[in-house]
Amino acid sequence: MKKTLLGTALLFALAQALPMDAQKQVRLTFNRAGGTAVSNVTVKVTDESGNAINGVTATLQSIKQGTGTDATAAATDVALKSGAQLDTHPEILCASYNNALNSSFAEFTFKISGLSDFSLNHSDLQIAALNGGGSFQYNNLPRKCDVRVWGDEDKNTLIASTDGIVTDKNASNETVDNTIDWEIKASTTTPATTEQILVVRLAKSSDNKGCFFGLKQITLYNGYRFATTTTSNIANVATFSASSPVTFSSDATAYIAINSDNKQVTLSPLNGALAAGKGAIVSKATTGDIYAYVSTETTDSRNNLLVGSGDATKELTDGNYYIFNKKDNDAVFSPLNNTSTTLAANKAALKTATTGGQALTLDFGSVTGINTTTTAMPATNATFDLSGRKVSGKLPAGLYIKNGKKLLIK
């Protein structure tokens, strides 16, 4: 069971497009067989397929306990917890700490060496809920965890902050592994080096009914960061494409092109992840960079006229293309100048069946963020927000798309 938290993340800066062969995922898994000291823990580093990554290693540097979520909270060394299910699950790291107070925490510090061309963009933490005897929690009491992740041993650089995640929902008895997968994203930035420190703190939330937290796996995702251009008809915008499926930071809205003629391009909010090698127009309300995340979500299956270059340059010589640019401060698509047919890496162009000498305007319709042909959205009972994300349950006030039509919740 995976939960996604938009708004916090492990994220390192990416100044330019990733190399085609850049590592997309790094997974840390653990084996604490043989004892409860730091030296008894082996950290295995693999890629998304479970294969070892040449030259990359990781070690557990320390296990600490304390109280609070602030970086300045005192933390002292402790051993790993053992007993009951922890003895049969050596892949779970759980600290033996004083759990009597609210905000009691376990803190794990890892060092990753040899990881180059990797811009940590978001993370996935597998967290288990355990009781004092080392068995899995299994009833519905609100055992909640506050997560902090820093990028240095002094905890000067906070790169993840998430409160109140529920950790005990999967188990039916104390022997059933209740690990829950929490995916964390954001738009903050910390410079990366080939030697990286991760400090992961798992603290009891204030309304927690008693719980120890175990850390089963950490997955680190490579990603993209790209600059935007301000225009008058769409705020802070850029085109983007990658060689892997991607989603975008929650402060951005991505669009694909679903139709065009010799005057206009009809855009529709992206529904799901952007397919590998396809293009999107991405905008945000505020100035600044946009972040794209390598994703395993279902991709938007609609016919998208935006052709992407992916992570390398692409020659546009197999049809009629328009390039995204500015005309009188408006974002438009202009006919390709045949003297320059190379599309830069991580960019998109419009491929059309028609040719013409004029720039094509963007058709969003009368409501910001929604084009006038929302019937092009798949006919379904599902409801989507303006970023193309599927939503359910009681919806807050706002504008949505359902069955290809606009839905206003007041």
Side-chain angles (χ1 to χ4, degrees):
M1 179 179 181
K2 176 173 286 190
K3 303 288 186 179
T4 299
L5 301 178
L6 296 176
T8 56
L10 303 182
L11 178 81
F12 286 87
L14 181 64
Q16 56 188 2
L18 295 174
M20 288 186 66
D21 59 352
Q23 194 67 45
K24 292 183 173 60
Q25 292 182 25
V26 172
R27 293 181 181 174
L28 306 184
T29 53
F30 320 116
N31 187 337
R32 55 177 176 77
T36 59
V38 171
S39 58
N40 296 124
V41 176
T42 300
V43 182
K44 184 179 180 181
V45 184
T46 62
D47 62 15
E48 57 268 32
S49 300
N51 300 315
I53 304 171
N54 186 37
V56 180
T57 60
T59 55
L60 176 63
Q61 301 290 291
S62 67
I63 314 162
K64 295 182 180 294
Q65 70 157 8
T67 302
T69 54
D70 190 86
T72 61
T76 57
D77 291 319
V78 292
L80 286 165
K81 193 172 184 59
S82 62
Q85 294 306 309
L86 281 172
D87 290 344
T88 58
H89 288 271
E91 73 279 9
I92 297 177
L93 304 183
C94 183
S96 181
Y97 60 101
N98 182 354
N99 194 38
L101 302 175
N102 287 336
S103 299
S104 299
F105 67 73
E107 184 177 287
F108 305 93
T109 299
F110 302 92
K111 181 170 75 171
I112 307 172
S113 301
L115 188 59
S116 59
D117 291 331
F118 193 89
S119 178
L120 184 56
N121 182 271
H122 71 289
S123 69
D124 186 298
L125 304 181
Q126 292 189 1
I127 302 172
L130 298 146
N131 64 25
S135 294
F136 294 114
Q137 301 279 18
Y138 65 94
N139 59 32
N140 291 324
L141 291 175
R143 297 187 175 93
K144 298 179 181 179
C145 180
D146 298 339
V147 177
R148 299 291 184 272
V149 181
W150 291 273
D152 60 286
E153 289 185 281
D154 295 329
K155 296 188 281 289
N156 292 321
T157 307
L158 179 66
I159 53 178
S161 177
T162 303
D163 291 341
I165 66 173
V166 179
T167 58
D168 64 344
K169 294 294 186 181
N170 285 352
S172 55
N173 62 63
E174 66 179 14
T175 67
V176 177
D177 188 346
N178 64 9
T179 303
I180 293 183
D181 207 6
W182 288 92
E183 186 177 12
I184 307 175
K185 300 179 179 180
S187 55
T188 56
T189 177
T190 304
T193 64
T194 56
E195 184 171 282
Q196 298 170 347
I197 296 293
L198 293 179
V199 181
V200 180
R201 181 181 292 182
L202 307 177
K204 288 175 58 178
S205 292
S206 58
D207 61 348
N208 194 319
K209 300 303 181 182
C211 190
F212 289 83
F213 299 111
L215 187 60
K216 187 174 182 179
Q217 179 176 288
I218 303 174
T219 303
L220 312 177
Y221 294 82
N222 212 338
Y224 305 83
R225 168 186 170 191
F226 56 98
T228 59
T229 299
T230 300
T231 66
S232 60
N233 58 337
I234 179 172
N236 308 302
V237 64
T239 68
F240 186 77
S241 172
S243 294
S244 302
V246 294
T247 55
F248 299 92
S249 47
S250 58
D251 58 353
T253 302
Y255 304 88
I256 63 173
I258 58 173
N259 192 23
S260 72
D261 54 28
N262 60 357
K263 293 182 179 180
Q264 283 188 324
V265 180
T266 303
L267 302 175
S268 181
L270 181 68
N271 178 13
L274 179 66
K278 299 300 289 186
I281 294 175
V282 193
S283 73
K284 59 185 294 187
T286 58
T287 58
D289 295 343
I290 293 175
Y291 297 89
Y293 310 116
V294 176
S295 176
T296 58
E297 290 184 26
T298 302
T299 57
D300 195 321
S301 61
R302 291 174 293 167
N303 183 36
N304 180 7
L305 302 181
L306 293 177
V307 174
S309 56
D311 296 336
T313 58
K314 179 181 177 65
E315 293 300 319
L316 304 179
T317 57
D318 61 341
N320 303 313
Y321 287 93
Y322 288 74
I323 300 298
F324 193 66
N325 61 9
K326 290 172 70 171
K327 179 182 178 183
D328 299 328
N329 208 39
D330 279 352
V332 298
F333 278 97
S334 298
L336 176 66
N337 182 347
N338 289 329
T339 62
S340 177
T341 60
T342 301
L343 183 64
N346 301 115
K347 294 295 184 181
L350 177 72
K351 187 176 183 180
T352 71
T354 61
T355 59
Q358 70 180 47
L360 307 182
T361 59
L362 309 181
D363 178 12
F364 291 94
S366 59
V367 180
T368 301
I370 299 182
N371 62 76
T372 56
T373 58
T374 53
T375 52
M377 294 288 286
T380 174
N381 287 325
T383 302
F384 301 88
D385 64 17
L386 298 189
S387 297
R389 291 186 294 265
K390 188 176 179 180
V391 294
S392 60
K394 185 177 180 180
L395 300 175
L399 199 54
Y400 302 89
I401 299 173
K402 184 174 183 179
N403 291 328
K405 298 181 180 180
K406 302 171 189 175
L407 172 65
L408 179 62
I409 304 295
K410 296 183 178 180

Short mmCIF file of all heavy atoms in Angstrom, two decimals, residues 30-52:
data_model
loop_
_atom_site.label_atom_id
_atom_site.label_comp_id
_atom_site.label_asym_id
_atom_site.label_seq_id
_atom_site.Cartn_x
_atom_site.Cartn_y
_atom_site.Cartn_z
N PHE A 30 18.35 -3.49 4.32
CA PHE A 30 19.16 -3.70 5.51
C PHE A 30 19.15 -5.16 5.95
O PHE A 30 18.18 -5.90 5.71
CB PHE A 30 18.64 -2.82 6.66
CG PHE A 30 18.23 -1.45 6.22
CD1 PHE A 30 16.92 -1.02 6.32
CD2 PHE A 30 19.16 -0.58 5.66
CE1 PHE A 30 16.53 0.23 5.89
CE2 PHE A 30 18.79 0.68 5.23
CZ PHE A 30 17.47 1.09 5.34
N ASN A 31 20.21 -5.55 6.63
CA ASN A 31 20.30 -6.85 7.29
C ASN A 31 21.03 -6.64 8.61
O ASN A 31 22.20 -6.30 8.62
CB ASN A 31 21.04 -7.85 6.40
CG ASN A 31 20.99 -9.27 6.97
OD1 ASN A 31 20.79 -9.46 8.16
ND2 ASN A 31 21.17 -10.25 6.10
N ARG A 32 20.31 -6.83 9.71
CA ARG A 32 20.91 -6.61 11.03
C ARG A 32 21.17 -7.94 11.73
O ARG A 32 21.28 -8.01 12.97
CB ARG A 32 20.00 -5.73 11.89
CG ARG A 32 18.59 -6.26 12.03
CD ARG A 32 17.75 -5.41 12.96
NE ARG A 32 16.39 -5.91 12.98
CZ ARG A 32 16.00 -6.98 13.64
NH1 ARG A 32 16.88 -7.67 14.33
NH2 ARG A 32 14.75 -7.38 13.59
N ALA A 33 21.28 -9.02 10.98
CA ALA A 33 21.53 -10.33 11.58
C ALA A 33 22.88 -10.31 12.30
O ALA A 33 23.87 -9.77 11.81
CB ALA A 33 21.53 -11.41 10.50
N GLY A 34 22.91 -10.90 13.50
CA GLY A 34 24.17 -11.04 14.21
C GLY A 34 24.34 -10.14 15.42
O GLY A 34 25.30 -10.29 16.16
N GLY A 35 23.43 -9.21 15.64
CA GLY A 35 23.57 -8.35 16.80
C GLY A 35 22.75 -7.10 16.68
O GLY A 35 22.02 -6.88 15.71
N THR A 36 22.88 -6.21 17.69
CA THR A 36 22.07 -4.99 17.74
C THR A 36 22.90 -3.72 17.64
O THR A 36 22.37 -2.62 17.82
CB THR A 36 21.25 -4.96 19.05
OG1 THR A 36 22.16 -5.00 20.16
CG2 THR A 36 20.29 -6.13 19.11
N ALA A 37 24.19 -3.83 17.36
CA ALA A 37 25.05 -2.65 17.23
C ALA A 37 25.06 -2.16 15.79
O ALA A 37 24.70 -2.88 14.85
CB ALA A 37 26.47 -2.99 17.68
N VAL A 38 25.50 -0.91 15.61
CA VAL A 38 25.63 -0.34 14.27
C VAL A 38 26.48 -1.23 13.38
O VAL A 38 26.18 -1.46 12.20
CB VAL A 38 26.23 1.08 14.35
CG1 VAL A 38 26.58 1.60 12.97
CG2 VAL A 38 25.27 2.02 15.05
N SER A 39 27.54 -1.76 13.93
CA SER A 39 28.48 -2.58 13.16
C SER A 39 27.87 -3.89 12.68
O SER A 39 28.42 -4.55 11.79
CB SER A 39 29.73 -2.86 13.98
OG SER A 39 29.39 -3.53 15.19
N ASN A 40 26.73 -4.29 13.26
CA ASN A 40 26.08 -5.53 12.85
C ASN A 40 25.14 -5.35 11.66
O ASN A 40 24.59 -6.33 11.16
CB ASN A 40 25.28 -6.13 14.01
CG ASN A 40 26.15 -6.53 15.17
OD1 ASN A 40 25.94 -6.08 16.30
ND2 ASN A 40 27.15 -7.37 14.93
N VAL A 41 24.95 -4.12 11.21
CA VAL A 41 24.00 -3.83 10.13
C VAL A 41 24.74 -3.73 8.80
O VAL A 41 25.70 -2.96 8.67
CB VAL A 41 23.23 -2.53 10.39
CG1 VAL A 41 22.31 -2.20 9.22
CG2 VAL A 41 22.42 -2.66 11.68
N THR A 42 24.27 -4.49 7.83
CA THR A 42 24.76 -4.39 6.46
C THR A 42 23.72 -3.63 5.64
O THR A 42 22.52 -3.94 5.70
CB THR A 42 24.98 -5.77 5.84
OG1 THR A 42 25.95 -6.47 6.61
CG2 THR A 42 25.46 -5.65 4.41
N VAL A 43 24.16 -2.62 4.89
CA VAL A 43 23.27 -1.86 4.01
C VAL A 43 23.57 -2.25 2.57
O VAL A 43 24.70 -2.10 2.10
CB VAL A 43 23.46 -0.34 4.19
CG1 VAL A 43 22.47 0.42 3.29
CG2 VAL A 43 23.25 0.05 5.64
N LYS A 44 22.58 -2.76 1.90
CA LYS A 44 22.72 -3.18 0.50
C LYS A 44 22.20 -2.09 -0.41
O LYS A 44 21.11 -1.54 -0.18
CB LYS A 44 21.96 -4.49 0.26
CG LYS A 44 22.13 -5.07 -1.14
CD LYS A 44 21.35 -6.37 -1.27
CE LYS A 44 21.51 -6.98 -2.66
NZ LYS A 44 20.73 -8.24 -2.80
N VAL A 45 22.95 -1.76 -1.45
CA VAL A 45 22.57 -0.72 -2.40
C VAL A 45 22.29 -1.37 -3.75
O VAL A 45 23.14 -2.05 -4.31
CB VAL A 45 23.68 0.33 -2.57
CG1 VAL A 45 23.21 1.46 -3.50
CG2 VAL A 45 24.08 0.90 -1.21
N THR A 46 21.08 -1.15 -4.29
CA THR A 46 20.72 -1.71 -5.58
C THR A 46 19.98 -0.67 -6.41
O THR A 46 19.55 0.37 -5.91
CB THR A 46 19.80 -2.94 -5.43
OG1 THR A 46 18.58 -2.55 -4.79
CG2 THR A 46 20.48 -4.02 -4.61
N ASP A 47 19.80 -0.98 -7.71
CA ASP A 47 18.98 -0.14 -8.57
C ASP A 47 17.54 -0.62 -8.52
O ASP A 47 17.19 -1.50 -7.72
CB ASP A 47 19.52 -0.12 -10.01
CG ASP A 47 19.50 -1.50 -10.67
OD1 ASP A 47 18.82 -2.43 -10.15
OD2 ASP A 47 20.19 -1.67 -11.69
N GLU A 48 16.69 -0.07 -9.40
CA GLU A 48 15.27 -0.40 -9.36
C GLU A 48 14.98 -1.85 -9.73
O GLU A 48 13.90 -2.37 -9.44
CB GLU A 48 14.47 0.54 -10.28
CG GLU A 48 14.93 0.53 -11.73
CD GLU A 48 15.96 1.59 -12.02
OE1 GLU A 48 16.75 1.92 -11.11
OE2 GLU A 48 15.99 2.08 -13.16
N SER A 49 15.95 -2.52 -10.37
CA SER A 49 15.78 -3.92 -10.73
C SER A 49 16.39 -4.87 -9.71
O SER A 49 16.39 -6.08 -9.90
CB SER A 49 16.40 -4.18 -12.11
OG SER A 49 15.78 -3.38 -13.09
N GLY A 50 16.96 -4.32 -8.65
CA GLY A 50 17.57 -5.14 -7.63
C GLY A 50 19.01 -5.50 -7.88
O GLY A 50 19.58 -6.35 -7.19
N ASN A 51 19.63 -4.86 -8.87
CA ASN A 51 21.02 -5.14 -9.21
C ASN A 51 21.95 -4.19 -8.47
O ASN A 51 21.63 -3.01 -8.27
CB ASN A 51 21.24 -5.00 -10.72
CG ASN A 51 20.37 -5.95 -11.51
OD1 ASN A 51 20.25 -7.12 -11.17
ND2 ASN A 51 19.74 -5.45 -12.57
N ALA A 52 23.11 -4.69 -8.08
CA ALA A 52 24.11 -3.84 -7.42
C ALA A 52 24.55 -2.73 -8.37
O ALA A 52 24.61 -2.92 -9.59
CB ALA A 52 25.31 -4.68 -7.01
#
